[in-house]
Amino acid sequence: MNITFLGTGTSHGVPVVACQCRVCQSTDPSDKHLRTSALVRTDEGENILIDIGPDFRMQMLSQQVTHLEGILITHAHRDHVAGLDDIRSLNYLQGCSMQVYGNEVALTTIQRDYRYIFEPHPYPGLPEVDLHVVDNDPFMVASHQVIPIKALHKDLPILGYRIGKLAYITDASFIPPEQIAKLQGVEVLVVNALRKEKHFSHFCLADALEVVNQVKPREAYLTHVSHEMGLMAEEAPLLPPHVHFALDGLTVEV
C-alpha cells in the first residue's frame, strides 16, 4: 500500500490568511500546507481516507480520486470534518452510502453539526453516510484490518489508526503507553508536530521525536505543521535522517 499526504497543515493552513511572516510569504511549494488529511491506497485498489477537512474537494480533484471505501475520522474539529458535505458526488457515482468510522465523541459531534444529513428529509441529493463507532477493537474497512490508537488532544479523546505497517496519528498531545505498544513493528509512522515550542494541545517537535524514538519505525513523517515551525528548507535538514516533514502531495510506499 501507499499513503499520499493530501494536506499537512494546521487548522489555519499555511499560508495563514493575512499573515506577513516569512513562512507565509514564502514562494517555496514545500511551505504550502492544506489542512491535514491523507489517502491510503491499498494493493487491492481500495482507497481509505483519513479525515475529510475543508480542502477535501480540491484534494480529491488533485489526486483524481474516483471512489472511497471508507473514511477514518481522528476527531471532529472542523479542520478534520468540514468537507463531509462534498461526498455527495461519490455517493452518486458509487451508488451507496459513505462508510465513516470514528469514536463516539467524534460521531456524536458529526451528527450534531451535520444534523440535516441524518434527519428525515423529503428530497434527494443530501450526503449519505453510515456511521460506525470505533472503540478498542480492530475493525475492517473493505478488505483491510484497522487498529485504533487512542490518544488525547488536550482533554479530547481522539483516534489514530494503524493499517498493516502504517500508523497515522495527528493532533495528539498524549499517547498512553499501552497504545504506544500497539505501534510496535510499524515501518512508516505519521505523527503531528505543530511547532518547535511546547503547545497545550498538540505535540511539539520534541514531543513528536520522542514518539518516533519509542516506536522506532523505518521512516517517520511529521504532519499538522504550522507556520511557526519555520521554513521547510531550513528545518528539514536538522531532522534525524529517518524523520521527514510530510509535504502536500507526497506519496510514501509502505
Side-chain angles (χ1 to χ4, degrees):
M1 69 174 65
N2 64 53
I3 181 171
T4 297
F5 295 99
L6 305 175
T8 55
T10 62
S11 58
H12 289 287
V14 183
V16 177
V17 172
C19 182
Q20 298 300 304
C21 79
R22 66 185 190 130
V23 175
C24 289
Q25 295 302 308
S26 170
T27 59
D28 184 346
S30 68
D31 292 318
K32 312 296 183 186
H33 305 274
L34 297 176
R35 270 64 70 93
T36 296
S37 178
L39 180 69
V40 177
R41 293 183 172 101
T42 74
D43 292 341
E44 294 79 15
E46 299 160 353
N47 290 332
I48 302 172
L49 182 69
I50 307 177
D51 285 335
I52 181 166
D55 301 314
F56 169 74
R57 176 177 173 274
M58 291 307 300
Q59 291 164 341
M60 293 296 96
L61 290 172
S62 70
Q63 294 296 317
Q64 300 181 334
V65 174
T66 59
H67 60 96
L68 290 175
E69 274 61 53
I71 301 174
L72 306 177
I73 302 296
T74 61
H75 63 297
H77 285 168
R78 296 299 287 176
D79 54 318
H80 295 264
V81 299
L84 192 60
D85 191 80
D86 286 329
I87 65 165
R88 290 173 293 158
S89 58
L90 291 171
N91 289 149
Y92 177 76
L93 292 170
Q94 294 179 217
C96 62
S97 298
M98 187 61 64
Q99 308 305 302
V100 175
Y101 304 81
N103 66 20
E104 187 171 6
V105 173
L107 298 189
T108 298
T109 301
I110 287 172
Q111 287 176 299
R112 180 196 68 204
D113 293 350
Y114 289 93
R115 58 187 179 276
Y116 65 91
I117 295 177
F118 303 100
E119 293 174 348
H121 53 83
Y123 56 94
L126 292 184
E128 297 175 12
V129 176
D130 291 337
L131 298 178
H132 303 273
V133 176
V134 175
D135 191 17
N136 284 313
D137 297 330
F139 59 98
M140 300 298 293
V141 178
S143 62
H144 281 263
Q145 183 187 71
V146 181
I147 299 172
I149 309 296
K150 290 188 172 184
L152 289 176
H153 180 18
K154 191 175 181 291
D155 300 322
L156 179 69
I158 67 173
L159 290 177
Y161 297 98
R162 177 175 180 170
I163 308 173
K165 301 285 188 179
L166 167 71
Y168 184 100
I169 300 167
T170 190
D171 287 50
S173 58
F174 176 71
I175 306 173
E178 69 274 12
Q179 300 298 311
I180 290 286
K182 293 182 180 180
L183 299 172
Q184 298 308 309
V186 160
E187 293 187 2
V188 176
L189 172 67
V190 182
V191 64
N192 59 290
L194 184 74
R195 62 188 191 187
K196 286 174 279 189
E197 295 77 15
K198 279 282 188 181
H199 192 269
F200 69 96
S201 65
H202 297 80
F203 285 146
C204 67
L205 178 58
D207 297 328
L209 292 177
E210 176 57 29
V211 173
V212 174
N213 288 337
Q214 292 176 34
V215 176
K216 296 179 172 55
R218 183 189 76 231
E219 302 285 336
Y221 291 85
L222 307 179
T223 193
H224 209 273
V225 173
S226 78
H227 64 160
E228 295 177 89
M229 183 66 77
L231 296 168
M232 293 290 98
E234 295 179 2
E235 301 302 328
L238 304 179
L239 296 174
H242 67 304
V243 181
H244 321 277
F245 286 113
L247 301 177
D248 289 20
L250 173 67
T251 295
V252 177
E253 297 292 330
V254 181

